[in-house]
Amino acid sequence: MAGIVRAFPLTPLQEGMLYHGLRSPGSSLYHGQLRADLEGPLDVEAFRAAWAGAIRRHEALRTFFAWERRERPLQVVRDEVELPLRVLDWRGVETAEAERRWAALVEDDSNRPLDLTQAPLMRVYLVRFTDERHRLLWGVHHAVADGWSAELVVDEILEELEAARGGTKPAIQPAPSYAEFVGWLESRDREAARAWWTARLAGLPGPTPLPTPARSGEDASRVSDERVLDEAETRTLKDVAGGLRVTLATLTAAAWAIVLARHTRTRDVVFGVTNSERPAEIRGVDRAVGLYLNTLPARVRLDDAEAMAAWLERLQLELSEARQHGSPGLSDLKRWADVQGADLFTSLIAFENYPDSLGGAASSGALRMTSVAVDVPTELPLALLVYPGRTLTLELVRDPVRVTSAEARALLAEVADVMRAFEEARQVGDLTRATTDPVPEGWTRGTELPSPPADVVDRILEHVRDRADTPALRGPQGSVGWGEFGRWTAGLAQRLAEATPPGAVVGILADRSPAAVAAMVATLRACRTYVPLDAHAPAGRLAVLLEGVDAVWVRRGAEDRLPSSHPLVLSLADLPDSQAVESGAEMPTPAAGIDAPRPEAPAYVVYTSGSTGTPKGVVVTRANLAWSTAARFAHYDSPPEVFLLLSPMHVDSSVAGIYWTLAAGGTLVLPPYRAEQDAASLGRLVDEAGVTHTLLVPSLHGALLDSVAPDRLASLRSVIVAGEACPEEVVRRHGTVLPGVTLHNEYGPSEATVWATVDDLTAEPAGPVTIGRPVPGARVAVVDESLRPVPVGVTGELVIAGPGVATGYRGRQDLTDERFVAVEGLGRAYRTGDRARWRADGRLEFLGRADDQFKIRGHRVEAGEIEEALRRHPAVDEAVVGLIHGGGQPALAAWLTMAGARVAPEALKTFLAGTLPAHMVPAHYAILDSMPRTPAGKLDRRAVQARGPGPTAPRATSGSASRTRPESATERTLAAVWSDVLGLEEVG
Ligand code: AMP
Ligand code: MG
């Protein structure tokens, strides 16, 4: 045939790719990408010539595949192909815009699969940012190039460019044809391989399940998370391997075997091991471009009683023996293992060992290549890629449906932990057993608390006399001394007692301010129950929250926010006026209309988002509140002197700061509404007020650490992060910026009265942030679906028992019965819906949600409530709400089908803003033609969330993951994906 150099069969690995690729048409499962920054002057014509040279040298870059009407597919090498190079000149484009375009380009390339029947199976982009700053994007099908090849080609290109500058041609040696490799494979003794592998795989119990909970569904896309071990950690691991006389690759495989054994509770596991296979018999194979890889099963048996050193030695031997026994394809292996239907394994590990000259930054005279990223595609749901070097990088490529990002991060940490632990382990069981051990009783309970704890009002009033002239509250309008605070709250309490019957429920409509705190304490002094309201919620929502409320404290000036019909409005001044103070001066005890406080009486009702469409009110008793506060005194060494309150008043985390500080006789600093949005001015406030303690969401702490000069924060002694998962980065930053300041992580839902577990992060080395141990008096457990405790290391639902557990949801017995349940060994407990597991050191790790509840800047949000609100719009038929991560901050998105005429997202947003608080209004909207459903006809929420507008839109993420990149692939690209690929419209 004219123009054809040769045609030859595929390797088993290539055949597998062809098979999987044809099974999911349109997916870019095997689309590899290499991205590189090129710094220095670059001649575009020389660049073009260099690529043309690479294509001439390497047959693989001229190869396509043919399988129609053929018994066996063939790969066909053309003698000439056109270089698919596009040069994009973005010089003069503003940096942010250029970066946005770049992200879109990368995403577009990885979402546009290459056509296997056309050579070359690649495309090249050269983007000019400035005269001296370029970027290369090379998209190539994995069937014709592995990671080694990618770096090889880029090295050659640099060499050519350098030579061209000097006006010469480099002497790059020719490389062998891939046909030689195919011939070599076919020359191997298949019969011997069959015999060896059949024996090796005999009696295999089947594929080892993933080390994550079984989930239905799968996704064709792959995303990745990585963990870079620093030089010291890497050295430690190399020493561990050296001490045990095994390679780092064996140590990693051993760690993966242990992790699988732990999570699946089996002692006979199997996973894939991908090796580079460049046989020495083929001359110059190191210089060749092609798919020189080989994935073989590693079947690992673990006997808990075996000596660790012996097991590792055996594993190393078995892994190397396996490589000597042919390079069978997976279909052969499956047959020999007698595994029907299913895949032979569900996870693989790949040790990416490039020759020293390759990888990382390279330079060629004036042109330097910095940061190279190579994608490694795979069709398995989970792949652990190991990149050795001065720093060891562990990367998990995963199916986002079957392995969540929290699970991936935990697995990465666990692999590193296990690798380290080999040093100490004597027997295999020292490492495998950890996760089957029952949780020691001592871990599940916090320290004992003397009971019953004193009512918070009694504790607060202790300070009225002895601290009379020091400030209790400090707001933007001025301070309130302790003496004055006592009289003010007494006056307000008397007014309330006169206006309402005992047991009344009283709303408080006031932003964070001395008045709001006074209203809370006064309501408790009057033995009434308060409901803190979001003063900025739309009228429609306020009306719902005000149902069954007997009276409302309203801060002067905020009256117009109240829906008009309310019966009893009690007005509040910003600061105590003389009348209020005087009338409270001689409040008798007991006072008229005020009963003695009863511990079981409700203290407050705090509303959170409700999945069934209306917010639900958590009823917290005086005993709950007394315990929550007493536990703080028991746990923390130093009570707050000056506490900066950053939580909104209607969120339960404000309870922590208010009662802890007042019960300690300290000063509560109350910055105005939304002050937390300006980190710089918060820094000034900390400085001016001499703030010693604060509690805030981790993202705000991160902002504070980034944008405030440390000397402004010099008065701080203790910082508590709470409300949502704290990123490792924040802990690290805290350690560098505020080394003398303690950092605690508090975990807990409103239903358990603010906190349930706590961890001291101050002295924590790098690693996943844990939520610690139960707080004094609390009891917790991690349970399975039938509410039985799971062993150490196994993921389950966190349940909480003890004196903090609330009465239930106001007026919602059904919801109360669902979530407040009896758990054996714990008693009445609250099912949090949070996923967690015990670490071997007795601390808890938080692993995200089991349902569709999210945290948006510390606010608890149920997807169901927003979906219900959307469905109330006449044009909306079905709605799904989810969280997406773009540009670092999570944001809400909505997927809709419309009943009739389409309405614009802007109109939907306005509609929602009438009934939902601002943080619950999604920023992104996608209109779908139909909602994906499970085979059983149920809405498939995850499939919905991977969709763009229309039924054929591409997937949300690319089918690959990259090696070096500033953040996780998902985060880096999602913002671009959402606007460019899915076509979602961003509003507001
Ligand atoms: P809320 O009732 O508003 O306090 O929200 C409680 C929920 O916030 C919990 O169920 C968790 O999902 C999440 N949460 C609270 N504290 C933490 C924490 N320290 N780390 C991770 N998640 C947290
Ligand atoms: Mg909370």
Side-chain angles (χ1 to χ4, degrees):
M1 230 197 298
I4 299 297
V5 178
R6 63 177 114 240
F8 50 98
L10 278 59
T11 63
L13 197 57
Q14 285 179 316
E15 278 182 359
M17 283 187 183
L18 190 65
Y19 167 75
H20 279 287
L22 294 178
R23 237 187 41 174
S24 33
S27 103
S28 354
L29 213 44
Y30 300 107
H31 188 84
Q33 258 187 3
L34 178 140
R35 301 181 288 282
D37 286 319
L38 303 168
E39 278 170 30
L42 184 134
D43 175 352
V44 174
E45 277 324 302
F47 182 82
R48 190 184 298 278
W51 273 99
I55 286 184
R56 260 195 312 277
R57 249 182 333 271
H58 299 291
E59 282 188 2
L61 302 184
R62 285 178 274 130
T63 296
F64 68 94
F65 294 84
W67 61 86
E68 299 278 346
R69 292 184 304 279
R70 266 171 221 285
E71 216 168 291
R72 248 192 110 173
L74 286 178
Q75 48 195 319
V76 185
V77 182
R78 288 191 177 285
D79 59 356
E80 266 178 37
V81 296
E82 208 158 310
L83 168 65
L85 168 68
R86 273 188 66 193
V87 180
L88 300 169
D89 192 350
W90 298 346
R91 287 175 298 182
V93 176
E94 191 242 325
T95 318
E97 168 61 14
E99 286 297 339
R100 207 195 60 79
R101 287 193 198 172
W102 169 258
L105 179 70
V106 167
E107 204 53 46
D108 169 71
D109 171 67
S110 60
N111 279 319
R112 231 164 3 99
L114 289 151
D115 177 358
L116 277 169
T117 65
Q118 303 293 325
L121 282 165
M122 59 177 255
R123 45 178 105 96
V124 185
Y125 296 91
L126 177 69
V127 180
R128 317 202 62 183
F129 285 82
T130 67
D131 287 342
E132 307 237 320
R133 215 164 61 75
H134 297 76
R135 252 182 226 166
L136 160 67
L137 171 63
W138 181 30
V140 59
H141 199 286
H142 202 21
V144 296
D146 52 16
W148 178 315
S149 307
E151 302 214 8
L152 180 89
V153 168
V154 168
D155 259 19
E156 290 185 1
I157 300 288
L158 282 185
E159 212 180 313
E160 292 241 21
L161 286 174
E162 171 62 7
R165 283 167 57 83
T168 59
K169 285 244 89 197
I172 302 179
Q173 305 263 325
S177 165
Y178 194 63
E180 285 192 48
F181 180 59
V182 173
W184 176 83
L185 280 180
E186 292 193 339
S187 72
R188 307 200 77 193
D189 185 347
R190 195 161 175 281
E191 201 31 53
R194 192 193 59 76
W196 192 84
W197 282 105
T198 308
R200 183 91 201 103
L201 298 172
L204 185 75
T208 307
L210 290 173
T212 48
R215 297 198 176 95
S216 58
E218 59 182 305
D219 199 306
S221 69
R222 295 292 175 268
V223 294
S224 86
D225 301 86
E226 72 177 18
R227 179 168 194 88
V228 183
L229 305 181
D230 65 23
E231 286 187 32
E233 287 175 288
T234 305
R235 243 188 335 267
T236 307
L237 293 187
K238 285 182 178 160
D239 290 347
V240 172
L244 290 159
R245 280 179 290 139
V246 293
T247 62
L248 204 50
T250 302
L251 203 69
T252 324
W256 191 244
I258 300 253
V259 167
L260 290 179
R262 280 182 177 180
H263 289 271
T264 61
R265 295 203 232 172
T266 45
R267 291 292 180 268
D268 187 355
V269 300
V270 61
F271 52 93
V273 177
T274 300
N275 289 301
S276 179
E277 184 155 55
R278 293 185 176 246
E281 291 93 323
I282 303 176
R283 272 193 59 193
V285 75
D286 285 359
R287 296 190 303 272
V289 171
L291 180 65
Y292 294 95
L293 292 180
N294 174 7
T295 298
L296 293 171
R299 181 202 191 164
V300 184
R301 271 174 277 213
L302 303 101
D303 171 1
D304 283 356
E306 185 170 1
M308 187 53 91
W311 177 71
L312 283 171
E313 195 181 325
R314 193 157 52 79
L315 181 63
Q316 172 139 306
L317 190 71
E318 285 172 0
L319 290 175
S320 86
E321 265 181 16
R323 300 188 60 178
Q324 286 151 30
H325 284 87
S327 313
L330 287 178
S331 51
D332 275 345
L333 285 162
K334 262 169 67 175
R335 201 158 344 106
W336 299 340
D338 205 15
V339 170
Q340 259 110 37
D343 285 324
L344 192 48
F345 39 79
T346 57
S347 69
L348 67 75
I349 73 173
F351 204 73
E352 305 286 333
N353 221 353
Y354 302 133
D356 278 350
S357 67
L358 299 176
S363 91
S364 135
L367 191 64
R368 266 172 317 124
M369 182 169 77
T370 58
S371 77
V372 191
V374 186
D375 286 350
V376 183
T378 173
E379 78 282 349
L380 288 181
L382 190 60
L384 174 67
L385 312 182
V386 187
Y387 300 92
R390 270 191 312 139
T391 61
L392 181 75
T393 301
L394 300 174
E395 174 174 6
L396 267 187
V397 180
R398 61 187 167 90
D399 171 343
V401 167
R402 301 186 57 186
V403 183
T404 68
S405 92
E407 285 163 353
R409 276 182 281 121
L411 284 170
L412 285 168
E414 191 177 352
V415 169
D417 278 352
V418 172
M419 286 173 80
R420 253 187 309 267
F422 281 121
E423 187 164 35
E424 300 275 295
R426 294 279 151 272
Q427 290 184 328
V428 173
D430 291 346
L431 294 186
T432 51
R433 260 203 305 269
T435 57
T436 47
D437 284 352
V439 177
E441 166 92 10
W443 292 5
T444 66
R445 11 181 106 242
T447 53
E448 295 283 329
L449 258 194
S451 63
D455 190 84
V456 287
V457 168
D458 294 341
R459 294 196 74 152
I460 294 171
L461 294 183
E462 275 172 27
H463 306 289
V464 169
R465 210 152 298 131
D466 57 345
R467 311 216 35 164
D469 295 325
T470 49
L473 309 176
R474 186 185 153 139
Q477 268 79 36
S479 297
V480 182
W482 267 98
E484 219 180 354
F485 179 62
R487 294 191 294 277
W488 190 18
T489 51
L492 295 176
Q494 278 184 339
R495 247 173 88 197
L496 191 58
E498 284 155 20
T500 61
V505 176
V506 188
I508 301 177
L509 191 71
D511 289 329
R512 189 169 45 213
S513 60
V517 176
M520 289 176 174
V521 173
T523 308
L524 292 181
R525 287 190 76 170
C527 294
R528 284 10 178 207
T529 303
Y530 71 80
V531 186
L533 302 166
D534 175 2
H536 298 272
R541 189 176 176 88
L542 272 180
V544 173
L545 303 183
L546 285 167
E547 272 166 32
V549 164
D550 304 300
V552 198
W553 292 111
V554 181
R555 194 168 157 205
R556 224 168 269 163
E559 291 85 355
D560 58 334
R561 300 228 185 92
L562 200 63
S564 51
S565 62
H566 212 271
L568 185 53
V569 173
L570 301 157
S571 133
L572 269 175
D574 276 337
L575 291 171
D577 48 28
S578 51
Q579 191 208 337
V581 170
E582 257 144 50
S583 70
E586 62 273 57
M587 175 164 163
T589 33
I594 302 180
D595 301 332
R598 286 176 304 117
E600 67 280 11
Y604 63 82
V605 179
V606 65
Y607 276 89
T608 79
S609 180
S611 57
T612 51
T614 39
K616 48 187 197 263
V618 181
V619 181
V620 171
T621 64
R622 292 183 89 105
N624 292 149
L625 179 58
W627 160 80
S628 184
T629 307
R632 290 190 178 279
F633 285 91
H635 180 77
Y636 288 107
D637 293 336
S638 73
E641 272 167 46
V642 182
F643 188 101
L644 177 64
L645 189 72
L646 292 168
S647 322
M649 303 303 280
H650 62 281
V651 174
D652 88 316
S653 66
S654 67
V655 168
I658 295 171
Y659 296 99
W660 189 21
T661 309
L662 295 180
T667 302
L668 196 56
V669 179
L670 299 148
Y673 174 61
R674 290 217 165 141
E676 62 273 18
Q677 292 178 356
D678 177 6
S681 75
L682 280 186
R684 275 195 299 280
L685 184 59
V686 168
D687 198 12
E688 269 166 40
V691 169
T692 59
H693 290 60
T694 193
L695 180 151
L696 71 189
V697 287
S699 51
L700 177 56
H701 190 37
L704 212 59
L705 291 169
D706 284 341
S707 53
V708 177
D711 55 344
R712 284 241 183 244
L713 304 174
S715 59
L716 276 178
R717 291 210 304 272
S718 166
V719 172
I720 297 169
V721 284
E724 59 193 26
C726 179
E728 280 173 59
E729 179 51 25
V730 172
V731 181
R732 253 197 310 273
R733 290 274 299 146
H734 178 97
T736 3
V737 179
L738 300 174
V741 180
T742 61
L743 180 65
H744 288 86
N745 184 16
E746 287 188 10
Y747 159 86
S750 307
E751 288 86 340
T753 318
V754 187
W755 69 332
T757 73
V758 62
D759 210 351
D760 184 349
L761 303 177
T762 320
E764 265 326 291
V769 178
T770 46
I771 54 170
R773 305 180 164 86
V775 302
R779 299 193 303 277
V780 303
V782 180
V783 298
D784 62 17
E785 264 143 47
S786 38
L787 298 177
R788 273 188 305 263
V790 296
V792 177
V794 174
T795 305
E797 181 180 2
L798 192 57
V799 292
I800 304 170
V805 177
T807 315
Y809 300 112
R810 180 159 195 242
R812 298 298 306 268
Q813 197 56 47
D814 51 338
L815 286 184
T816 305
D817 293 343
E818 204 180 297
R819 302 304 286 263
F820 294 82
V821 295
V823 175
E824 210 187 302
L826 278 189
R828 182 171 183 269
Y830 171 65
R831 299 184 66 161
T832 62
D834 289 323
R835 294 157 45 70
R837 69 174 178 198
W838 290 103
R839 289 175 22 137
D841 61 3
R843 294 190 303 170
L844 285 162
E845 207 174 318
F846 172 83
L847 296 169
R849 296 287 306 175
D851 57 12
D852 296 292
Q853 177 184 305
F854 315 113
K855 276 295 180 105
I856 300 277
R857 295 182 298 280
H859 292 282
R860 184 164 146 182
V861 169
E862 292 281 358
E865 184 172 357
I866 306 170
E867 288 163 3
E868 186 60 36
L870 274 165
R871 278 194 292 268
R872 279 188 219 117
H873 189 286
V876 173
D877 187 11
E878 288 182 295
V880 168
V881 167
L883 205 57
I884 62 166
H885 299 265
Q889 284 291 330
L892 287 172
W895 289 259
L896 309 162
T897 55
M898 298 259 167
R902 291 194 166 190
V903 288
E906 190 60 58
L908 289 171
K909 198 190 166 195
T910 313
F911 173 76
L912 289 179
T915 52
L916 296 178
H919 65 263
M920 288 178 77
V921 178
H924 306 272
Y925 296 81
I927 318 291
L928 306 184
D929 293 343
S930 67
M931 289 279 178
R933 301 196 171 271
T934 63
K938 281 199 8 192
L939 240 175
D940 187 345
R941 299 181 60 92
R942 294 198 192 271
V944 173
Q945 293 176 20
R947 285 277 289 275
T952 53
R955 298 291 190 145
T957 44
S958 72
S960 53
S962 66
R963 167 150 73 115
T964 43
R965 77 190 97 59
E967 57 220 65
S968 89
T970 337
E971 273 165 28
R972 181 172 41 77
T973 50
L974 259 178
V977 182
W978 279 76
S979 49
D980 298 332
V981 180
L982 293 187
L984 289 185
E985 293 180 54
E986 186 167 349
V987 179

